[in-house]
Amino acid sequence: MHSAIATACPICDTTAGLTPIEGIAPQPWVLKQCSSCDLLFLANPPSFEQLATDFLWDQNHRREKVRRQADRTHAGSAFRFVLHSLALTSNWLLGWDRFDSLRRRYINAGPVLDLGCGRGKRLLKSMPPGIPLIGIEMIPSKAEHAHIRFAERGGRVILGSVLEGLTQLEDSSCMGAVAKSYLEHEPQPRVMLAELWRVLADGAHVIIKVPNHASLLRRMRGAQWSGYRFPDHVLYFTPLSLRRLLESSGFTIQRFGWVDRLPLTNGMWVVARKSKR
């Protein structure tokens, strides 16, 4: 059902300072934390084939939601409602759609690549007409739906894992990329980012959103934090580990301020630029 226990960190490749984390992941999943780069990761992630069949993102999300509701007390529900309200208020005070704002500032030419594009709604809603859209998606029904719409814009959708899809694209062929709620699912982040670096044109930006394991909300919620989802979330980033991964993969951090990782929100946003090696 699961792979052998990993002996090295997926980011810094160290074999020392890996601490098992108990009381969060259900059996048989094993969480470890790297003291060197601060990454929390699933040490025995399922294979791509299992993720594409037994642990599909949307189905696993529904199962996890049901499990959390069953474990939730009335006091816990009230506490969660207060935190959710504070998070919504923070976003309202900022006054913008975060993804669309970042996209308009950093990605304005194509082709644009969407990693884990789903049905393609992100880019179809945000990108102006006339810019080719390319997606990679592992769920056939979603990939087919997005392909029809992307083809109308001169693009396409590749069915398969992100890593497999990237190998089918030419060097420096994309002017921007989006990885919204994808990187936490990738068991080989350094290999994938090396391929993404190859595919992006010099100076192109990638917009990334992942759950923030260092957030105040996670610390307050503990094991009930909604960012924990097993086994399809295999990486749990902090600002330190996310920055280290991107910079060690040849990217320069373009934007990653406090407003991009508010303490009472689950996620964090970062914009990175392909730098010449």
Side-chain angles (χ1 to χ4, degrees):
M1 184 178 184
H2 54 88
S3 57
I5 304 297
T7 58
C9 172
I11 290 182
C12 62
D13 205 33
T14 182
T15 58
L18 300 183
T19 305
I21 304 299
E22 306 291 343
I24 296 177
Q27 293 293 331
W29 313 112
V30 177
L31 271 179
K32 289 188 177 183
Q33 188 160 23
C34 176
S35 61
S36 177
C37 69
D38 207 30
L39 180 73
L40 192 74
F41 63 98
L42 199 63
N44 55 341
S47 66
F48 169 74
E49 290 74 21
Q50 289 173 318
L51 287 172
T53 53
D54 300 332
F55 304 113
L56 286 175
W57 179 89
D58 48 358
Q59 296 176 9
N60 205 47
H61 178 73
R62 286 193 292 270
R63 285 194 294 264
E64 185 66 10
K65 186 175 182 179
V66 169
R67 184 189 71 80
R68 292 180 189 277
Q69 288 174 340
D71 292 343
R72 193 173 297 152
T73 64
H74 291 298
S77 296
F79 181 61
R80 184 174 180 272
F81 174 78
V82 171
L83 291 178
H84 183 64
S85 299
L86 288 172
L88 290 177
T89 301
S90 298
N91 288 331
W92 177 77
L93 289 173
L94 289 173
W96 73 73
D97 179 310
R98 188 69 55 84
F99 171 70
D100 193 56
S101 174
L102 293 175
R103 197 284 307 161
R104 284 187 283 108
R105 182 172 180 180
Y106 294 103
I107 302 177
N108 289 288
V112 179
L113 176 63
D114 192 346
L115 309 181
C117 67
R119 294 180 178 272
K121 293 181 180 179
R122 275 188 297 264
L123 292 185
L124 288 168
K125 178 182 178 182
S126 181
M127 294 301 301
I131 294 180
L133 307 178
I134 300 174
I136 305 174
E137 174 57 45
M138 65 186 292
I139 301 177
S141 60
K142 292 183 177 182
E144 182 180 5
H145 184 276
H147 179 74
I148 294 172
R149 303 293 302 278
F150 282 16
E152 294 172 353
R153 295 193 176 206
R156 60 178 173 139
V157 172
I158 302 170
L159 176 63
S161 72
V162 166
L163 186 54
E164 291 172 341
L166 286 170
T167 63
Q168 299 182 39
L169 299 174
E170 296 180 358
D171 294 1
S172 305
S173 59
C174 293
M175 300 302 297
V178 176
K180 184 175 181 288
S181 302
Y182 153 69
L183 193 55
E184 63 268 30
H185 300 271
E186 177 54 65
Q188 301 182 75
R190 291 189 305 165
V191 179
M192 185 280 296
L193 284 172
E195 279 298 304
L196 179 61
W197 191 94
R198 178 188 63 79
V199 165
L200 289 176
D202 289 343
H205 292 93
V206 54
I207 299 172
I208 297 170
K209 182 189 179 186
V210 294
N212 181 6
H213 194 261
S215 70
L216 178 61
L217 190 59
R218 195 277 305 174
R219 297 175 190 275
M220 296 170 73
R221 294 293 295 158
Q224 290 300 312
W225 180 51
S226 61
Y228 290 129
R229 199 170 69 235
F230 304 102
D232 59 309
H233 282 191
V234 300
L235 303 177
Y236 295 90
F237 293 98
T238 65
L240 174 64
S241 57
L242 183 57
R243 178 183 291 273
R244 179 163 185 174
L245 171 64
L246 291 168
E247 291 179 341
S248 65
S249 300
F251 291 88
T252 299
I253 303 299
Q254 189 74 30
R255 171 177 169 146
F256 198 25
W258 70 269
V259 75
D260 303 310
R261 50 181 191 271
L262 294 173
L264 287 177
T265 56
N266 280 321
M268 54 183 170
W269 296 82
V270 61
V271 180
R273 184 183 75 250
K274 175 183 174 177
S275 303
K276 293 183 178 180
R277 288 175 175 167

